[in-house]
Amino acid sequence: MIRGRGAEVRSRNRACGVEEIKARRRQQERALRKARKEKQLVSKRLPRGLQGDGEEMEIRETSVTKEEVLQLFQRIQRGSDDRLAALRSLRQMLQLKETQQMFVRFENSIHVLISLFTSNLASVQLEATRCLLELSHSDDQSISLVCLPATPYLLTYLSGQSAKFTELCLYILGNLAAENEAVRNQLLVQGVIQALAICLQSPHGAVVEAAAYSLSQMLQAKEAGEKIIPSVLEANLTPHLIRLLDLDCEFGMQTAVECAWCLHYIVSSGVNSECMISQGLIRQAVILLIALGRAVGSGTTTDGMELVLMLLGNIAEMGLEYCEKLQHQTGIFPALCITLRTADPEAVRLTLEVLNLILSRCEQACVSFANQNGILALEAIQYNSNEDIRVRANFLMDKYFANKAI
Amino acid sequence: MQLLRNKMQQATSRRPVGAAAGGDREPGPGLESAVAGAEGGGDGDGEAELLPSPFTFSSRRIFLQKEDEFFEDGDIHRHLYLQNALTSVGEVERPKVSEFCCHIAGCSQLFDTLENYEHHYNTFHRNVCSSCKRSFPSSHLLDIHILEWHDSLFQILAAKQNMYVCLVESCAEKFKASSDRKKHLIKVHGYPPDFRFDKPKKPKRKANGLSSFLPHSNQRNQDKSSHDMDVETSSCQKETTDIFCGTSTELMDHVSVETMEAESPSVSGQEKSTTMQQRPFYSYRVPATICFGHGSVRGFKNPRKKK
């Protein structure tokens, strides 16, 4: 099974040529596609930095026996000095799916784990929490259900002051929420939305990022439109998300992208999200797009660009009024010109899509676009190697700027 | 598998048109011509003939299973992104220090990493009740504790109106009694009946009839858990300085039962004693207003003066 840890860490540290990197990446992708076909692809958020104490978190054995796991469980139950060491070993072993399955099937194992999770001995509590984090990583729905009794404690601890611990709890919640509706329902009645709202205002960047991640896991649910998004809008979470899109607020690119995901889910859900527009969504999204464009230009790969483009496109799609707001926003057309010039064909195609949506609805936009040197950027794309892009660029030029071609 | 989000493919309103991903769905037959018609409609005024618009996006809701091919590219992309995100996090250096002890008076927990100590301090020495030294996981629970345990006005008001606040911060409900609150927590919020941070205020009495002196005595609950709504402070680990730890030996039978209750019903019997030694004891606090005189076990042998 592809777990994607460890091996990749080591291989990245070796110096190698660009071609080698590309070839390896292609091979990786092939392997991942194969794994996905066999339903073996598991990719969850499991921040390794939270798990290790600087140690290498490799599993030395590739398989465990039931006796080994049972022995660990018994050492944990018995308590005293041995407990911590046993918890550490268990945590490492829980990286394996077999261990997870075995462990949850022992009588009262989860109960014991949760009671240690609420212990007042710091090292025991942290270690038990990390075990829970490993379990939350599982894609087995039954395991996430088994972890349900932990949720009231997880949510209670979100109001605590230990940033590292809060971060861990947030990732556990996010991973569990991704799994099934029963978990999400329980979290909702236990006040997860409001708890996340508080975490989003934390001064600790890691906590904010983890909170945005957890929120995105709630928002991506298929029932989100009916059950979750209205509460999120009502709880006034969106101003925080929008504020956090601005990279200048010192929390970094990753947090901004997580928040962009949350906003994207809300906008594309179809729930009326006009309030977000008045909360400055367009302005912040454009700022983020510019920053992302710059980051791509300087070589730091970013995955947020298509996301923000999709967000803008969905806003444009909401109607003429929104297109007017969009085209009115300072910096949007320069930002779109930047993304037009990137090497990523997907980003270029999305940019053309967004342009089409805006230009087709709003005449004023054509004028603004032309005034801000958009035509030059569009013309350059007419010679793009990708046919789809050429076709679309030609269409836009012919339709809106036929009499302005230079 | 769509465990997390899919980066580029969203099965709701936004669908990248003409994406080179495997499994991209073609737009419905009517859509292209309809869009083209709308687009081309306004250009019948002598401009060059335009091809139908290559932009065929239109907002609609599509539901796909998470194994659908449509998500393949996104899944792969996300997986690689997560791996890259993880590696940078894993390389943080942890400062190594030799074992040290928490410096808070009465607390004797040991640590060998700053991270653990930070966690300990923030969790157990932050939201501490100044009256009884209990610590709580959040300021919300501390506030509730102070109100219900140390506010003399509370009892008076509670007789007339609903004063017991729900433990869930975002819930505004109030209740007449803590048992009502507990029922609410179980029924509405799905809390377990043995929720660690909601034990009724019930100082443990030896069976000597003193319970009648206590404002909240309740015979029915005497064998039930008498734990408070808190995390036991590690101060109790130092047995000599705290009388209530000293008395724990005599209360061993009761305590061990309640320890099980608060911890987990599953903790096996054989490790009761080791659990007891390991875990700090629950305190059975005597309200400051009650005095038992000099000879009483529960009196004031405690060198620490009660406030």
Side-chain angles (χ1 to χ4, degrees):
Chain A
M1 126 161 350
I2 308 268
R3 295 298 261 183
R5 297 185 206 118
E8 273 69 30
V9 179
R10 287 198 302 271
S11 65
R12 281 171 69 80
N13 291 334
R14 275 189 285 127
C16 37
V18 173
E19 278 313 310
E20 230 184 272
I21 296 177
K22 281 191 189 167
R24 200 180 315 123
R25 175 140 174 150
R26 277 196 293 275
Q27 197 190 26
Q28 242 181 355
E29 274 199 33
R30 270 201 298 275
L32 291 175
R33 283 182 203 278
K34 178 165 180 294
R36 185 182 181 274
K37 283 206 166 42
E38 296 162 8
K39 303 207 193 319
Q40 296 279 26
L41 191 63
V42 181
S43 23
K44 271 210 180 156
R45 217 9 126 80
L46 184 54
R48 278 290 157 220
L50 298 178
Q51 291 291 69
D53 294 320
E55 311 146 18
E56 185 60 46
M57 288 303 295
E58 274 305 291
I59 304 240
R60 314 207 192 288
E61 18 191 327
T62 46
S63 71
V64 284
T65 64
K66 189 169 173 190
E67 286 66 40
E68 283 174 295
V69 185
L70 182 60
Q71 225 182 39
L72 279 180
F73 177 46
Q74 283 168 343
R75 280 166 65 193
I76 290 168
Q77 265 189 309
R78 248 175 271 135
S80 79
D81 298 327
D82 195 34
R83 180 177 266 168
L84 193 57
L87 272 172
R88 284 209 180 109
S89 305
L90 178 66
R91 186 237 299 180
Q92 288 204 350
M93 283 212 210
L94 281 173
Q95 291 178 45
L96 296 173
K97 191 171 180 174
E98 304 92 66
T99 321
Q100 292 168 1
Q101 298 287 341
M102 285 182 230
F103 180 75
V104 300
R105 279 162 178 73
F106 294 143
E107 197 180 323
N108 283 317
S109 52
I110 285 292
H111 233 99
V112 171
L113 192 60
I114 291 177
S115 73
L116 295 177
F117 166 57
T118 56
S119 156
N120 75 335
L121 292 176
S123 28
V124 170
Q125 182 177 45
L126 279 176
E127 217 43 63
T129 311
R130 292 183 179 122
C131 288
L132 273 175
L133 182 56
E134 288 292 349
L135 279 172
S136 76
H137 195 265
S138 161
D139 57 331
D140 185 342
Q141 287 227 349
S142 66
I143 291 191
S144 61
L145 285 174
V146 147
C147 292
L148 268 179
T151 58
Y153 296 108
L154 285 163
L155 287 168
T156 303
Y157 286 135
L158 291 190
S159 316
Q161 271 131 317
S162 169
K164 197 77 191 175
F165 187 52
T166 306
E167 193 190 343
L168 276 170
C169 293
L170 283 166
Y171 279 117
I172 296 174
L173 283 168
N175 287 341
L176 290 177
E179 272 320 306
N180 67 56
E181 196 171 342
V183 175
R184 291 190 289 267
N185 287 340
Q186 171 144 318
L187 289 177
L188 284 170
V189 298
Q190 290 175 349
V192 67
I193 303 288
Q194 293 79 357
L196 289 176
I198 295 175
C199 289
L200 280 175
Q201 299 170 67
S202 162
H204 303 279
V207 171
V208 176
E209 185 182 332
Y213 166 76
S214 293
L215 182 62
S216 74
Q217 294 306 83
M218 295 289 294
L219 291 171
Q220 56 88 46
K222 63 179 183 329
E223 81 275 9
E226 297 96 50
K227 289 197 192 171
I228 302 175
I229 292 177
S231 322
V232 170
L233 290 171
E234 217 179 283
N236 216 27
L237 264 168
T238 45
H240 299 298
L241 293 169
I242 293 171
R243 167 181 57 89
L244 289 162
L245 289 181
D246 188 351
L247 292 179
D248 277 348
C249 74
E250 107 247 29
F251 286 142
M253 183 77 79
Q254 211 134 314
T255 308
V257 171
E258 291 291 345
C259 294
W261 272 109
C262 294
L263 292 163
H264 168 68
Y265 283 126
I266 297 176
V267 169
S268 60
S269 71
V271 174
N272 184 326
S273 33
E274 284 167 13
C275 59
M276 299 205 294
I277 306 296
S278 58
Q279 286 161 6
L281 175 59
I282 294 179
R283 177 181 171 275
Q284 294 290 85
V286 170
I287 290 176
L288 180 57
L289 189 60
I290 295 173
L292 286 168
R294 227 181 281 134
V296 169
S298 71
T300 0
T301 45
T302 58
D303 291 293
M305 209 158 58
E306 288 102 358
L307 170 63
V308 182
L309 286 168
M310 274 200 261
L311 188 57
L312 290 171
N314 276 338
I315 296 174
E317 220 257 335
M318 278 157 65
L320 167 63
E321 188 190 331
Y322 299 97
C323 289
E324 273 172 4
K325 288 201 171 80
L326 278 167
Q327 65 89 25
H328 201 73
Q329 175 62 46
T330 341
I332 186 170
F333 289 130
L336 290 174
C337 291
I338 295 177
T339 54
L340 267 184
R341 290 194 205 102
T342 61
D344 181 4
E346 188 56 33
V348 177
R349 208 191 340 257
L350 276 172
T351 311
L352 291 168
E353 186 80 45
V354 173
L355 278 172
N356 178 57
L357 285 167
I358 300 176
L359 297 173
S360 65
R361 285 178 175 77
C362 179
E363 270 182 34
Q364 177 60 27
C366 302
V367 177
S368 308
F369 186 68
N371 288 344
Q372 293 175 61
N373 297 320
I375 297 181
L376 256 147
L378 205 48
E379 278 184 336
I381 301 298
Q382 284 181 299
Y383 303 100
N384 191 286
S385 53
N386 183 308
E387 193 196 331
D388 282 339
I389 291 176
R390 282 201 306 273
V391 165
R392 285 163 172 75
N394 286 332
F395 178 83
L396 289 178
M397 278 300 297
D398 292 338
K399 177 138 198 250
Y400 302 110
F401 308 111
N403 53 353
K404 293 201 176 82
I406 297 161
Chain B
M1 298 178 199
Q2 194 202 353
L3 295 176
L4 298 183
R5 59 182 160 252
N6 290 287
K7 290 254 137 165
M8 291 188 281
Q9 338 276 3
Q10 263 302 314
T12 50
S13 58
R14 183 74 201 170
R15 193 169 60 84
V17 170
D24 183 39
R25 297 284 178 273
E26 289 307 307
L31 189 64
E32 204 149 38
S33 41
V35 169
E39 300 285 356
D43 295 82
D45 55 336
E47 298 257 2
E49 274 248 335
L50 286 178
L51 297 164
S53 167
F55 297 99
T56 51
F57 168 73
S58 99
S59 166
R60 57 202 163 113
R61 192 164 279 264
I62 308 168
F63 284 106
L64 300 171
Q65 294 298 318
K66 64 183 182 183
E67 295 87 16
D68 196 293
E69 257 186 359
F70 187 67
F71 297 117
E72 181 175 338
D73 268 10
D75 280 345
I76 304 301
H77 200 123
R78 172 196 71 219
H79 189 97
L80 291 170
Y81 165 74
L82 283 178
Q83 285 176 6
N84 295 339
L86 294 180
T87 53
S88 53
V89 175
E91 279 147 26
V92 174
E93 272 297 305
R94 306 245 174 257
K96 291 269 179 265
V97 295
S98 50
E99 224 180 40
F100 60 97
C101 184
C102 179
H103 69 274
I104 301 290
C107 179
S108 61
Q109 278 200 39
L110 289 170
F111 306 95
D112 60 356
T113 68
L114 290 173
E115 181 189 63
N116 283 3
Y117 177 64
E118 220 178 336
H119 167 64
H120 163 76
Y121 186 88
N122 284 324
T123 324
F124 304 113
H125 294 304
R126 281 295 199 102
N127 301 303
V128 177
C129 174
S130 51
S131 313
C132 62
K133 303 298 174 216
R134 281 182 185 76
S135 84
F136 296 85
S138 69
S139 54
H140 177 71
L141 290 175
L142 173 63
D143 290 341
I144 293 177
H145 161 81
I146 292 175
L147 187 68
E148 293 174 14
W149 285 56
H150 302 297
D151 187 341
S152 41
L153 200 54
F154 180 81
Q155 300 308 328
I156 301 169
L157 287 174
K160 299 184 198 146
Q161 47 189 267
N162 291 350
M163 292 287 289
Y164 288 86
V165 173
C166 179
L167 298 188
V168 175
E169 270 182 78
S170 50
C171 179
E173 295 282 332
K174 296 191 183 185
F175 304 91
K176 202 164 150 55
S178 72
S179 52
D180 295 329
R181 168 174 61 201
K182 183 164 168 151
K183 283 195 207 108
H184 165 83
L185 281 173
I186 295 171
K187 186 158 164 245
V188 173
H189 297 298
Y191 271 45
D194 61 349
F195 185 60
R196 171 95 167 231
F197 305 121
D198 181 29
K199 303 296 182 182
K201 175 181 179 183
K202 186 122 304 297
K204 192 74 183 95
R205 297 276 107 240
K206 287 180 72 170
N208 56 6
L210 283 171
S211 52
S212 53
F213 286 92
L214 299 171
H216 292 289
S217 73
N218 186 337
Q219 301 290 345
R220 178 167 47 88
N221 277 344
Q222 267 209 322
D223 50 327
K224 226 188 149 245
S225 133
S226 65
H227 309 301
D228 347 272
M229 201 168 43
D230 69 345
V231 174
E232 322 80 67
T233 60
S234 342
S235 62
C236 287
Q237 283 181 338
K238 280 212 168 162
E239 297 183 37
T240 49
T241 56
D242 191 326
I243 185 173
F244 301 104
C245 290
T247 57
S248 68
T249 44
E250 26 188 7
L251 300 169
M252 191 64 101
D253 297 326
H254 304 285
V255 167
S256 52
V257 168
E258 279 121 26
T259 309
M260 303 261 281
E261 250 186 303
E263 302 270 78
S264 73
S266 66
V267 174
S268 62
Q270 70 183 111
E271 48 100 32
K272 262 190 221 180
S273 46
T274 45
T275 308
M276 279 315 302
Q277 273 138 32
Q278 176 152 354
R279 305 194 62 82
F281 306 101
Y282 292 98
S283 17
Y284 307 100
R285 304 283 177 175
V286 182
T289 50
I290 304 292
C291 168
F292 301 105
H294 296 295
S296 165
V297 158
R298 285 205 159 267
F300 303 99
K301 279 189 218 160
N302 188 342
R304 223 172 47 200
K305 279 285 158 236
K306 289 199 89 63
K307 297 188 184 51

